[in-house]
Amino acid sequence: MRAKTAVVLGAQWGDEGKGKIVDVLSGRFAAVARYAGGHNAGHTVIIKGQKFVLQLIPCGVLRPGCKGVIGNGVVLDPIAFLKEVAKLRDLGVDVDGQLYVSNRAQVILPYHRMIELAAESAPGRQKIGTTSRGIGPAYEDKMSRSGLRIVDLLNPKILQTHIENACQEKNAIAHALFGSAPIDPSKMFDEYAAAAEQVRPFVTDTGNLLNKVIADGGSVMFEGAQGTMLDIDHGTYPFVTSSSATAGGAATGTGVGPTAIGTVIGVTKAYVTRVGEGPFPTEIHDSSADTLRARGNEYGAVTGRPRRCGWLDIPLLRYSNQVNGTEWLVVTKMDVMDELAEIPVCIGYEIDGKFTDLVPADVQGLESIIPRYTKLRGWQQSTEGITDFDHLPLAAQEYLRFQERESGAKIGMVSTGPDRDQTMILPGFADVLETLSN
């Protein structure tokens, strides 16, 4: 019998609307667990007109009785975490007793931000387009086995020794390479020792917690951050994030075994967006991009940066579904396409005069792609708020069926607006959700 668990992740470069989808589905789960990334990943959720922007905390906390879990695969900035907790409390969200932080998660400290900001701004360095929040350097320390974990943050003696040693090293590196001013270890210790005491009530062995929920017959959703094409292994390297954004990260990032993953749900926009640097084969370079950006409000939830917009890329979606073992697709922002008379969809690539439908591994190959398009008929009428597939315009139905046929995964949900209620659940997926429900 399949475990009552599901991974929900981005099928593209992030910003697919996972926050809303996780929120819509979370009412059926006992726990929602975040398994990768840091506070560089924003999820926007709108509930009856009220807007919640979550950067680090899982969307499950917006559902009374649903546990929100920050797993061991996440890198956590204690100060940013506490600010987000305070904002949620101000909005009337009861986070106490509902939100949990892994004692094995890695800690982001000020010198991580110093190193990343300096490196991203240094002359001659290849810009990746990071948010300069210390995510990458924190993962670097994790992999070099010199990081600080939450369990150690809570031990003042270990914390003080770690900060003193790390500042001595990081200050020397930052000054030598980038000319950065040094960070005061004494001031840092005072600030983070105080923050540790506020974080302490949330800390537990979250791997044990999640496994117990599953063993007791409860359901767990694993919430992805960023998107598949930003995965450290499977994305458009080096223009990627520093963690495992794909479905495999759900096991390593939470301490729940891979055999306990019941199904994988990929979230894809009806088009494609990307923030920051890096290859983007179907990027639009005419006024259509401005139309999609304006109608889709395509600006980063965390940074406010305008997103690059492109047409739906079928080879990329097929690759994403393969990497993740995606069984179900959720299509978001259908309503953004409502005014288009004709919609190009990329069905393959031309590289060096040869046609392929495979995503190349190298940046040079990705940048030399000439996308080959087919054009589908637009519907030029409003789909906003429609919650029944049969009520969609016929051309909109065909656009969705085309994605389904070509990508190899079944469409289970369609989002036709930003609010929680503007969501369509298709019959086959409704049965799946019924089995996942507590």
Side-chain angles (χ1 to χ4, degrees):
M1 182 179 173
R2 269 184 164 189
K4 293 165 63 174
T5 61
V7 181
V8 179
L9 49 75
Q12 301 162 331
W13 279 284
D15 305 312
E16 299 93 347
K18 296 182 297 297
K20 173 191 167 175
I21 301 308
V22 171
D23 171 66
V24 168
L25 297 177
S26 62
R28 301 171 182 272
F29 290 84
V32 176
R34 171 90 177 267
Y35 63 82
H39 64 303
N40 58 336
H43 289 167
T44 302
V45 177
I46 299 174
I47 304 170
K48 298 192 185 306
Q50 186 175 16
K51 185 177 181 180
F52 299 85
V53 178
L54 302 172
Q55 296 180 13
L56 186 65
I57 294 173
C59 297
V61 297
L62 301 178
R63 295 276 189 181
C66 181
K67 293 178 173 66
V69 174
I70 295 175
N72 58 275
V74 174
V75 287
L76 185 138
D77 181 327
I79 306 300
F81 170 76
L82 292 171
K83 286 180 179 176
E84 193 168 341
V85 166
K87 282 183 182 177
L88 287 172
R89 283 177 176 150
D90 290 343
L91 290 168
V93 179
D94 183 15
V95 293
D96 302 289
Q98 191 175 340
L99 178 60
Y100 302 87
V101 174
S102 171
N103 51 13
R104 291 176 168 85
Q106 295 278 324
V107 178
I108 299 174
L109 290 162
Y111 52 75
H112 292 129
R113 293 193 296 275
M114 172 184 71
I115 293 282
E116 186 169 38
L117 185 60
E120 190 76 354
S121 307
R125 291 287 292 261
Q126 183 182 49
K127 287 182 169 49
I128 302 298
T130 73
T131 57
S132 298
R133 298 190 172 204
I135 311 297
Y139 277 114
E140 287 178 36
D141 280 0
K142 174 181 179 176
M143 290 306 180
S144 68
R145 295 160 293 181
S146 59
L148 183 81
R149 299 193 300 173
I150 290 290
V151 67
D152 301 317
L153 175 75
L154 303 182
N155 185 316
K157 287 184 179 178
I158 294 177
L159 176 63
Q160 185 168 27
T161 301
H162 180 91
I163 286 176
E164 287 172 355
N165 292 340
C167 280
Q168 187 175 4
E169 176 191 334
K170 306 294 185 184
N171 281 337
I173 292 171
H175 178 72
L177 292 180
F178 312 116
S180 301
I183 288 179
D184 180 356
S186 177
K187 182 180 176 184
M188 189 194 305
F189 170 72
D190 290 343
E191 183 180 11
Y192 280 79
E197 292 311 306
Q198 295 180 66
V199 172
R200 188 184 296 276
F202 298 100
V203 178
T204 191
D205 183 336
T206 54
N208 182 62
L209 182 153
L210 291 170
N211 278 293
K212 190 172 187 308
V213 169
I214 294 168
D216 291 344
S219 53
V220 174
M221 182 196 301
F222 302 97
E223 177 184 342
Q226 288 94 27
T228 297
M229 300 311 296
L230 292 176
D231 183 89
I232 186 68
D233 289 297
H234 303 289
T236 49
Y237 190 90
F239 299 96
V240 292
T241 192
S242 303
S243 58
S244 298
T246 45
T252 57
T254 62
V256 171
T259 55
I261 305 298
T263 190
V264 179
I265 302 166
V267 184
T268 173
K269 279 178 180 162
Y271 47 101
V272 189
T273 62
R274 176 164 199 167
V275 170
E277 306 296 325
F280 187 175
T282 63
E283 184 170 9
I284 304 168
H285 298 286
D286 60 30
S287 59
S288 298
D290 298 327
T291 300
L292 293 178
R293 189 177 298 112
R295 284 185 56 81
N297 191 28
E298 295 296 355
Y299 298 90
V302 173
T303 63
R305 290 185 292 182
R307 297 171 185 147
R308 299 155 65 190
C309 296
W311 301 118
L312 186 67
D313 187 331
I314 291 294
L316 183 141
L317 185 56
R318 193 182 295 126
Y319 170 77
S320 171
N321 290 346
Q322 172 185 294
V323 166
N324 292 303
T326 305
E327 186 176 7
W328 294 94
L329 281 176
V330 175
V331 180
T332 62
K333 298 204 171 183
M334 270 294 288
D335 53 304
V336 174
M337 316 287 279
D338 285 351
E339 295 180 357
L340 300 177
E342 194 174 59
I343 305 172
V345 177
C346 176
I347 55 170
Y349 307 138
E350 184 183 317
I351 304 175
D352 297 331
K354 296 179 180 177
F355 182 86
T356 181
D357 61 357
L358 299 177
V359 177
D362 59 314
V363 168
Q364 289 76 17
L366 284 159
E367 289 177 340
S368 65
I369 283 173
I370 300 172
R372 292 305 179 205
Y373 292 101
T374 189
K375 292 186 177 178
L376 300 181
R377 186 164 56 91
W379 43 94
Q380 293 188 289
Q381 61 187 99
S382 177
T383 60
E384 186 172 1
I386 294 176
T387 57
D388 188 325
F389 183 84
D390 292 335
H391 292 168
L392 287 172
L394 290 178
Q397 293 182 30
E398 175 52 28
Y399 188 73
L400 293 168
R401 291 305 182 205
F402 183 86
Q403 288 182 59
E404 190 172 61
R405 289 194 302 271
E406 296 295 323
S407 72
K410 297 166 283 189
I411 292 178
M413 287 176 63
V414 181
S415 173
T416 55
D419 201 272
R420 180 187 276 176
D421 297 329
Q422 294 174 310
T423 310
M424 178 189 308
I425 298 177
L426 276 64
F429 192 57
D431 296 337
V432 172
L433 294 180
E434 190 60 36
T435 64
L436 289 170
S437 296
N438 284 311

